[in-house]
Amino acid sequence: MNKSFWKGKKVFVTGHTGFKGSWLSMWLYHLGAQVKGYALAQDHTLSLFEVAKVGARMDSQIGDIRDLSALSAAVYDFQPDVVFHLAAQPLVKFSYKNPVETYETNVMGTVHLFEAVRSCRSVRAVVNVTTDKVYENQKQLKGYLETDRLGGYDPYSNSKACSELLTSSYVQSFFSPENYAQHGVALATARAGNVIGGGDWAKDRLIPDLMRAILHSRDFVVRNPESVRPWQHVLEPLYGYLLLAEKLYIENVKWNGAWNFGPQSEDAVSVSRLIDTFRTQVAGSFPQLSVIRSEEHETNSLQLNIDKSINVLHWKPIWRLEQTVQKVLEWYLADPSESYDLCLKQIEDYENEREVYDVQY
């Protein structure tokens, strides 16, 4: 990633109040970009956006992506160069209880974002962030390729697969490579694995639940401990998004399409293995665990094939599972008043290690 590329760029981020959106907004600010966010306020007491005072360093607008006119006005008034679309209803369990809201947000919200881009001539690059769960479950042990069939069992996963299909349709219908000179927009999707990191306080997520148990000496309930997921630190895919957006802006439509961002294959481990990695790094007592089986369907094993991102985009994860867990614990066990400084420190640590890696390889 060319850090100087981002200096002065106008970047519009939907979902900036969320976990990944907050980290991305802080990184963009750190790189010298002018950032505007558009998202709902967080619905839980603690959030990274609030404790790290992310909104103080950007133009933050609280709004709903289901509101086409408000979203279009926000994009048009800001005249961004680059757009990252992260706003979503992101929880599987919630999607079973609220499927209509999930589809309205994840499908029509994406339509609204693309329509807003169509009406704003300044936009050159768009990254639509979806999920590793967009693939049709083939119950395979090998990682899914970007060319594998889309599906999604639950409403959340399926709605994000729909967002992928929407992206393909808009590229063919309105942002076609052949007509790039007329529309000037390059558009790609990013499918990331299970991201973890400091500042995630969402409900019904493994690491937030585990950290609440550690910090408050509570028992901890685990669903489906043998389920395998592609765990990675949040900075890993965010670096991929930034690199991809830079390529889209400079070299445009040759970088269109879908991109997987996941960990190395050996870091796709079971829930119980991840918890054991935390256990080895936590000093003192560890929460008592109890196991329940989820009533909703969950895929037993999910892995991503990241060969395309490695070989074409030259992106590769550099923080292994043990280091990722160490960074997560470092954040949660620190003084909350130091949240922003600690986020910035971890961003700089990652940048420095990435520079060393890129020189060597």
Side-chain angles (χ1 to χ4, degrees), residues 132 135-144 148-149 152-153 228-229 297-303:
D132 57 346
Y135 295 104
E136 182 177 81
N137 181 17
Q138 300 293 328
K139 299 181 180 179
Q140 63 188 40
L141 297 178
K142 65 178 182 178
Y144 288 96
D148 283 341
R149 184 184 176 102
Y153 185 102
V228 174
R229 295 290 182 268
H297 172 273
E298 288 191 19
T299 302
N300 289 330
S301 180
L302 180 57
Q303 299 186 47

PDB file of all heavy atoms in Angstrom, residues 132 135-144 148-149 152-153 228-229 297-303:
ATOM      1  N   ASP A 132     -17.331 -14.010   4.181  1.00  0.00           N
ATOM      2  CA  ASP A 132     -16.941 -15.339   3.732  1.00  0.00           C
ATOM      3  C   ASP A 132     -18.131 -16.289   3.669  1.00  0.00           C
ATOM      4  O   ASP A 132     -18.039 -17.382   3.101  1.00  0.00           O
ATOM      5  CB  ASP A 132     -15.868 -15.923   4.660  1.00  0.00           C
ATOM      6  CG  ASP A 132     -16.310 -15.988   6.120  1.00  0.00           C
ATOM      7  OD1 ASP A 132     -17.327 -15.356   6.468  1.00  0.00           O
ATOM      8  OD2 ASP A 132     -15.641 -16.658   6.918  1.00  0.00           O
ATOM      9  N   TYR A 135     -20.813 -18.081   0.265  1.00  0.00           N
ATOM     10  CA  TYR A 135     -20.712 -19.277  -0.573  1.00  0.00           C
ATOM     11  C   TYR A 135     -21.771 -20.312  -0.211  1.00  0.00           C
ATOM     12  O   TYR A 135     -22.134 -20.469   0.957  1.00  0.00           O
ATOM     13  CB  TYR A 135     -19.321 -19.898  -0.440  1.00  0.00           C
ATOM     14  CG  TYR A 135     -18.230 -19.005  -0.970  1.00  0.00           C
ATOM     15  CD1 TYR A 135     -17.390 -18.302  -0.104  1.00  0.00           C
ATOM     16  CD2 TYR A 135     -18.056 -18.833  -2.343  1.00  0.00           C
ATOM     17  CE1 TYR A 135     -16.402 -17.462  -0.592  1.00  0.00           C
ATOM     18  CE2 TYR A 135     -17.068 -17.999  -2.834  1.00  0.00           C
ATOM     19  CZ  TYR A 135     -16.246 -17.311  -1.957  1.00  0.00           C
ATOM     20  OH  TYR A 135     -15.274 -16.477  -2.441  1.00  0.00           O
ATOM     21  N   GLU A 136     -22.250 -21.033  -1.235  1.00  0.00           N
ATOM     22  CA  GLU A 136     -23.142 -22.154  -0.985  1.00  0.00           C
ATOM     23  C   GLU A 136     -22.373 -23.228  -0.223  1.00  0.00           C
ATOM     24  O   GLU A 136     -21.272 -23.600  -0.620  1.00  0.00           O
ATOM     25  CB  GLU A 136     -23.659 -22.721  -2.303  1.00  0.00           C
ATOM     26  CG  GLU A 136     -24.628 -23.871  -2.133  1.00  0.00           C
ATOM     27  CD  GLU A 136     -25.159 -24.357  -3.470  1.00  0.00           C
ATOM     28  OE1 GLU A 136     -24.457 -25.125  -4.149  1.00  0.00           O
ATOM     29  OE2 GLU A 136     -26.275 -23.949  -3.850  1.00  0.00           O
ATOM     30  N   ASN A 137     -22.959 -23.720   0.850  1.00  0.00           N
ATOM     31  CA  ASN A 137     -22.265 -24.675   1.704  1.00  0.00           C
ATOM     32  C   ASN A 137     -22.143 -26.031   1.012  1.00  0.00           C
ATOM     33  O   ASN A 137     -23.132 -26.757   0.868  1.00  0.00           O
ATOM     34  CB  ASN A 137     -23.003 -24.813   3.033  1.00  0.00           C
ATOM     35  CG  ASN A 137     -22.311 -25.785   3.977  1.00  0.00           C
ATOM     36  OD1 ASN A 137     -21.143 -26.123   3.783  1.00  0.00           O
ATOM     37  ND2 ASN A 137     -23.024 -26.225   4.994  1.00  0.00           N
ATOM     38  N   GLN A 138     -20.925 -26.370   0.619  1.00  0.00           N
ATOM     39  CA  GLN A 138     -20.660 -27.661  -0.014  1.00  0.00           C
ATOM     40  C   GLN A 138     -20.075 -28.663   0.977  1.00  0.00           C
ATOM     41  O   GLN A 138     -19.676 -29.753   0.579  1.00  0.00           O
ATOM     42  CB  GLN A 138     -19.689 -27.465  -1.190  1.00  0.00           C
ATOM     43  CG  GLN A 138     -20.208 -26.545  -2.272  1.00  0.00           C
ATOM     44  CD  GLN A 138     -21.399 -27.115  -3.008  1.00  0.00           C
ATOM     45  OE1 GLN A 138     -21.514 -28.325  -3.160  1.00  0.00           O
ATOM     46  NE2 GLN A 138     -22.301 -26.241  -3.453  1.00  0.00           N
ATOM     47  N   LYS A 139     -20.004 -28.258   2.253  1.00  0.00           N
ATOM     48  CA  LYS A 139     -19.436 -29.095   3.311  1.00  0.00           C
ATOM     49  C   LYS A 139     -18.051 -29.607   2.941  1.00  0.00           C
ATOM     50  O   LYS A 139     -17.674 -30.738   3.223  1.00  0.00           O
ATOM     51  CB  LYS A 139     -20.373 -30.269   3.616  1.00  0.00           C
ATOM     52  CG  LYS A 139     -21.740 -29.838   4.116  1.00  0.00           C
ATOM     53  CD  LYS A 139     -22.629 -31.010   4.440  1.00  0.00           C
ATOM     54  CE  LYS A 139     -23.999 -30.541   4.936  1.00  0.00           C
ATOM     55  NZ  LYS A 139     -24.897 -31.663   5.242  1.00  0.00           N
ATOM     56  N   GLN A 140     -17.275 -28.724   2.301  1.00  0.00           N
ATOM     57  CA  GLN A 140     -15.939 -29.088   1.864  1.00  0.00           C
ATOM     58  C   GLN A 140     -14.901 -28.611   2.860  1.00  0.00           C
ATOM     59  O   GLN A 140     -15.088 -27.610   3.552  1.00  0.00           O
ATOM     60  CB  GLN A 140     -15.651 -28.494   0.486  1.00  0.00           C
ATOM     61  CG  GLN A 140     -15.655 -26.971   0.438  1.00  0.00           C
ATOM     62  CD  GLN A 140     -15.558 -26.427  -0.978  1.00  0.00           C
ATOM     63  OE1 GLN A 140     -16.163 -26.949  -1.903  1.00  0.00           O
ATOM     64  NE2 GLN A 140     -14.762 -25.380  -1.159  1.00  0.00           N
ATOM     65  N   LEU A 141     -13.787 -29.335   2.930  1.00  0.00           N
ATOM     66  CA  LEU A 141     -12.697 -28.978   3.832  1.00  0.00           C
ATOM     67  C   LEU A 141     -11.759 -27.968   3.201  1.00  0.00           C
ATOM     68  O   LEU A 141     -11.125 -27.184   3.902  1.00  0.00           O
ATOM     69  CB  LEU A 141     -11.936 -30.236   4.260  1.00  0.00           C
ATOM     70  CG  LEU A 141     -12.749 -31.253   5.068  1.00  0.00           C
ATOM     71  CD1 LEU A 141     -11.889 -32.467   5.395  1.00  0.00           C
ATOM     72  CD2 LEU A 141     -13.302 -30.632   6.350  1.00  0.00           C
ATOM     73  N   LYS A 142     -11.646 -27.981   1.879  1.00  0.00           N
ATOM     74  CA  LYS A 142     -10.774 -27.013   1.213  1.00  0.00           C
ATOM     75  C   LYS A 142     -11.429 -25.634   1.196  1.00  0.00           C
ATOM     76  O   LYS A 142     -12.652 -25.502   1.334  1.00  0.00           O
ATOM     77  CB  LYS A 142     -10.467 -27.472  -0.205  1.00  0.00           C
ATOM     78  CG  LYS A 142     -11.683 -27.516  -1.117  1.00  0.00           C
ATOM     79  CD  LYS A 142     -11.294 -27.936  -2.528  1.00  0.00           C
ATOM     80  CE  LYS A 142     -12.527 -27.919  -3.452  1.00  0.00           C
ATOM     81  NZ  LYS A 142     -12.167 -28.278  -4.831  1.00  0.00           N
ATOM     82  N   GLY A 143     -10.616 -24.604   1.013  1.00  0.00           N
ATOM     83  CA  GLY A 143     -11.127 -23.247   1.031  1.00  0.00           C
ATOM     84  C   GLY A 143     -11.939 -22.916  -0.208  1.00  0.00           C
ATOM     85  O   GLY A 143     -11.654 -23.401  -1.310  1.00  0.00           O
ATOM     86  N   TYR A 144     -12.951 -22.055  -0.029  1.00  0.00           N
ATOM     87  CA  TYR A 144     -13.781 -21.635  -1.148  1.00  0.00           C
ATOM     88  C   TYR A 144     -13.038 -20.629  -2.019  1.00  0.00           C
ATOM     89  O   TYR A 144     -12.374 -19.709  -1.526  1.00  0.00           O
ATOM     90  CB  TYR A 144     -15.075 -21.013  -0.636  1.00  0.00           C
ATOM     91  CG  TYR A 144     -16.032 -22.024  -0.051  1.00  0.00           C
ATOM     92  CD1 TYR A 144     -16.071 -22.267   1.317  1.00  0.00           C
ATOM     93  CD2 TYR A 144     -16.892 -22.741  -0.870  1.00  0.00           C
ATOM     94  CE1 TYR A 144     -16.945 -23.203   1.859  1.00  0.00           C
ATOM     95  CE2 TYR A 144     -17.776 -23.679  -0.339  1.00  0.00           C
ATOM     96  CZ  TYR A 144     -17.788 -23.910   1.018  1.00  0.00           C
ATOM     97  OH  TYR A 144     -18.652 -24.841   1.550  1.00  0.00           O
ATOM     98  N   ASP A 148     -16.439 -19.976  -6.846  1.00  0.00           N
ATOM     99  CA  ASP A 148     -17.382 -20.985  -6.375  1.00  0.00           C
ATOM    100  C   ASP A 148     -18.794 -20.410  -6.290  1.00  0.00           C
ATOM    101  O   ASP A 148     -18.999 -19.199  -6.184  1.00  0.00           O
ATOM    102  CB  ASP A 148     -16.952 -21.522  -5.002  1.00  0.00           C
ATOM    103  CG  ASP A 148     -15.802 -22.512  -5.100  1.00  0.00           C
ATOM    104  OD1 ASP A 148     -15.582 -23.058  -6.206  1.00  0.00           O
ATOM    105  OD2 ASP A 148     -15.112 -22.733  -4.086  1.00  0.00           O
ATOM    106  N   ARG A 149     -19.759 -21.311  -6.310  1.00  0.00           N
ATOM    107  CA  ARG A 149     -21.169 -20.931  -6.330  1.00  0.00           C
ATOM    108  C   ARG A 149     -21.570 -20.185  -5.057  1.00  0.00           C
ATOM    109  O   ARG A 149     -21.176 -20.562  -3.951  1.00  0.00           O
ATOM    110  CB  ARG A 149     -22.022 -22.196  -6.476  1.00  0.00           C
ATOM    111  CG  ARG A 149     -23.518 -21.957  -6.605  1.00  0.00           C
ATOM    112  CD  ARG A 149     -24.245 -23.295  -6.635  1.00  0.00           C
ATOM    113  NE  ARG A 149     -25.687 -23.124  -6.663  1.00  0.00           N
ATOM    114  CZ  ARG A 149     -26.435 -23.245  -7.751  1.00  0.00           C
ATOM    115  NH1 ARG A 149     -25.863 -23.537  -8.908  1.00  0.00           N
ATOM    116  NH2 ARG A 149     -27.747 -23.093  -7.694  1.00  0.00           N
ATOM    117  N   GLY A 152     -25.640 -19.211   0.659  1.00  0.00           N
ATOM    118  CA  GLY A 152     -25.970 -18.629   1.957  1.00  0.00           C
ATOM    119  C   GLY A 152     -27.205 -19.276   2.537  1.00  0.00           C
ATOM    120  O   GLY A 152     -28.312 -19.106   2.022  1.00  0.00           O
ATOM    121  N   TYR A 153     -27.041 -20.012   3.616  1.00  0.00           N
ATOM    122  CA  TYR A 153     -28.145 -20.774   4.211  1.00  0.00           C
ATOM    123  C   TYR A 153     -29.103 -19.872   4.974  1.00  0.00           C
ATOM    124  O   TYR A 153     -30.303 -19.898   4.759  1.00  0.00           O
ATOM    125  CB  TYR A 153     -27.554 -21.852   5.137  1.00  0.00           C
ATOM    126  CG  TYR A 153     -28.568 -22.806   5.732  1.00  0.00           C
ATOM    127  CD1 TYR A 153     -28.728 -24.087   5.211  1.00  0.00           C
ATOM    128  CD2 TYR A 153     -29.349 -22.437   6.832  1.00  0.00           C
ATOM    129  CE1 TYR A 153     -29.654 -24.970   5.754  1.00  0.00           C
ATOM    130  CE2 TYR A 153     -30.271 -23.312   7.382  1.00  0.00           C
ATOM    131  CZ  TYR A 153     -30.423 -24.580   6.849  1.00  0.00           C
ATOM    132  OH  TYR A 153     -31.323 -25.448   7.391  1.00  0.00           O
ATOM    133  N   VAL A 228     -15.246 -24.818  12.718  1.00  0.00           N
ATOM    134  CA  VAL A 228     -13.988 -24.243  12.242  1.00  0.00           C
ATOM    135  C   VAL A 228     -14.283 -22.958  11.469  1.00  0.00           C
ATOM    136  O   VAL A 228     -15.157 -22.933  10.594  1.00  0.00           O
ATOM    137  CB  VAL A 228     -13.240 -25.242  11.340  1.00  0.00           C
ATOM    138  CG1 VAL A 228     -12.006 -24.602  10.716  1.00  0.00           C
ATOM    139  CG2 VAL A 228     -12.851 -26.483  12.136  1.00  0.00           C
ATOM    140  N   ARG A 229     -13.538 -21.903  11.794  1.00  0.00           N
ATOM    141  CA  ARG A 229     -13.722 -20.613  11.137  1.00  0.00           C
ATOM    142  C   ARG A 229     -12.364 -20.002  10.773  1.00  0.00           C
ATOM    143  O   ARG A 229     -11.361 -20.267  11.439  1.00  0.00           O
ATOM    144  CB  ARG A 229     -14.477 -19.643  12.057  1.00  0.00           C
ATOM    145  CG  ARG A 229     -15.909 -20.057  12.377  1.00  0.00           C
ATOM    146  CD  ARG A 229     -16.798 -19.930  11.167  1.00  0.00           C
ATOM    147  NE  ARG A 229     -18.183 -20.276  11.458  1.00  0.00           N
ATOM    148  CZ  ARG A 229     -18.708 -21.478  11.307  1.00  0.00           C
ATOM    149  NH1 ARG A 229     -17.940 -22.482  10.875  1.00  0.00           N
ATOM    150  NH2 ARG A 229     -19.983 -21.700  11.570  1.00  0.00           N
ATOM    151  N   HIS A 297     -29.189 -23.131  12.258  1.00  0.00           N
ATOM    152  CA  HIS A 297     -28.179 -23.819  11.456  1.00  0.00           C
ATOM    153  C   HIS A 297     -26.884 -23.019  11.410  1.00  0.00           C
ATOM    154  O   HIS A 297     -26.895 -21.794  11.220  1.00  0.00           O
ATOM    155  CB  HIS A 297     -28.690 -24.015  10.018  1.00  0.00           C
ATOM    156  CG  HIS A 297     -27.652 -24.549   9.076  1.00  0.00           C
ATOM    157  ND1 HIS A 297     -26.769 -23.736   8.395  1.00  0.00           N
ATOM    158  CD2 HIS A 297     -27.340 -25.819   8.726  1.00  0.00           C
ATOM    159  CE1 HIS A 297     -25.976 -24.477   7.649  1.00  0.00           C
ATOM    160  NE2 HIS A 297     -26.301 -25.744   7.822  1.00  0.00           N
ATOM    161  N   GLU A 298     -25.758 -23.680  11.611  1.00  0.00           N
ATOM    162  CA  GLU A 298     -24.444 -23.061  11.442  1.00  0.00           C
ATOM    163  C   GLU A 298     -23.540 -24.045  10.714  1.00  0.00           C
ATOM    164  O   GLU A 298     -23.555 -25.242  11.005  1.00  0.00           O
ATOM    165  CB  GLU A 298     -23.820 -22.691  12.797  1.00  0.00           C
ATOM    166  CG  GLU A 298     -24.491 -21.514  13.477  1.00  0.00           C
ATOM    167  CD  GLU A 298     -23.688 -21.003  14.672  1.00  0.00           C
ATOM    168  OE1 GLU A 298     -22.481 -21.308  14.740  1.00  0.00           O
ATOM    169  OE2 GLU A 298     -24.265 -20.313  15.517  1.00  0.00           O
ATOM    170  N   THR A 299     -22.761 -23.537   9.769  1.00  0.00           N
ATOM    171  CA  THR A 299     -21.838 -24.384   9.023  1.00  0.00           C
ATOM    172  C   THR A 299     -20.750 -24.899   9.948  1.00  0.00           C
ATOM    173  O   THR A 299     -20.191 -24.147  10.737  1.00  0.00           O
ATOM    174  CB  THR A 299     -21.202 -23.570   7.880  1.00  0.00           C
ATOM    175  OG1 THR A 299     -22.246 -23.069   7.042  1.00  0.00           O
ATOM    176  CG2 THR A 299     -20.262 -24.431   7.058  1.00  0.00           C
ATOM    177  N   ASN A 300     -20.450 -26.189   9.853  1.00  0.00           N
ATOM    178  CA  ASN A 300     -19.427 -26.778  10.724  1.00  0.00           C
ATOM    179  C   ASN A 300     -18.027 -26.311  10.374  1.00  0.00           C
ATOM    180  O   ASN A 300     -17.193 -26.098  11.245  1.00  0.00           O
ATOM    181  CB  ASN A 300     -19.499 -28.309  10.658  1.00  0.00           C
ATOM    182  CG  ASN A 300     -20.736 -28.856  11.354  1.00  0.00           C
ATOM    183  OD1 ASN A 300     -21.229 -28.264  12.302  1.00  0.00           O
ATOM    184  ND2 ASN A 300     -21.244 -29.975  10.867  1.00  0.00           N
ATOM    185  N   SER A 301     -17.756 -26.176   9.086  1.00  0.00           N
ATOM    186  CA  SER A 301     -16.407 -25.792   8.661  1.00  0.00           C
ATOM    187  C   SER A 301     -16.494 -24.774   7.542  1.00  0.00           C
ATOM    188  O   SER A 301     -17.270 -24.942   6.595  1.00  0.00           O
ATOM    189  CB  SER A 301     -15.626 -27.020   8.176  1.00  0.00           C
ATOM    190  OG  SER A 301     -14.320 -26.657   7.760  1.00  0.00           O
ATOM    191  N   LEU A 302     -15.728 -23.704   7.673  1.00  0.00           N
ATOM    192  CA  LEU A 302     -15.719 -22.655   6.660  1.00  0.00           C
ATOM    193  C   LEU A 302     -14.305 -22.109   6.522  1.00  0.00           C
ATOM    194  O   LEU A 302     -13.726 -21.618   7.495  1.00  0.00           O
ATOM    195  CB  LEU A 302     -16.680 -21.527   7.052  1.00  0.00           C
ATOM    196  CG  LEU A 302     -16.794 -20.348   6.084  1.00  0.00           C
ATOM    197  CD1 LEU A 302     -17.203 -20.815   4.709  1.00  0.00           C
ATOM    198  CD2 LEU A 302     -17.806 -19.334   6.607  1.00  0.00           C
ATOM    199  N   GLN A 303     -13.748 -22.216   5.307  1.00  0.00           N
ATOM    200  CA  GLN A 303     -12.417 -21.716   5.041  1.00  0.00           C
ATOM    201  C   GLN A 303     -12.415 -21.017   3.687  1.00  0.00           C
ATOM    202  O   GLN A 303     -13.226 -21.323   2.810  1.00  0.00           O
ATOM    203  CB  GLN A 303     -11.388 -22.844   5.050  1.00  0.00           C
ATOM    204  CG  GLN A 303     -11.281 -23.585   6.371  1.00  0.00           C
ATOM    205  CD  GLN A 303     -10.147 -24.596   6.377  1.00  0.00           C
ATOM    206  OE1 GLN A 303      -9.027 -24.298   5.978  1.00  0.00           O
ATOM    207  NE2 GLN A 303     -10.444 -25.806   6.832  1.00  0.00           N
TER     208      GLN A 303
END
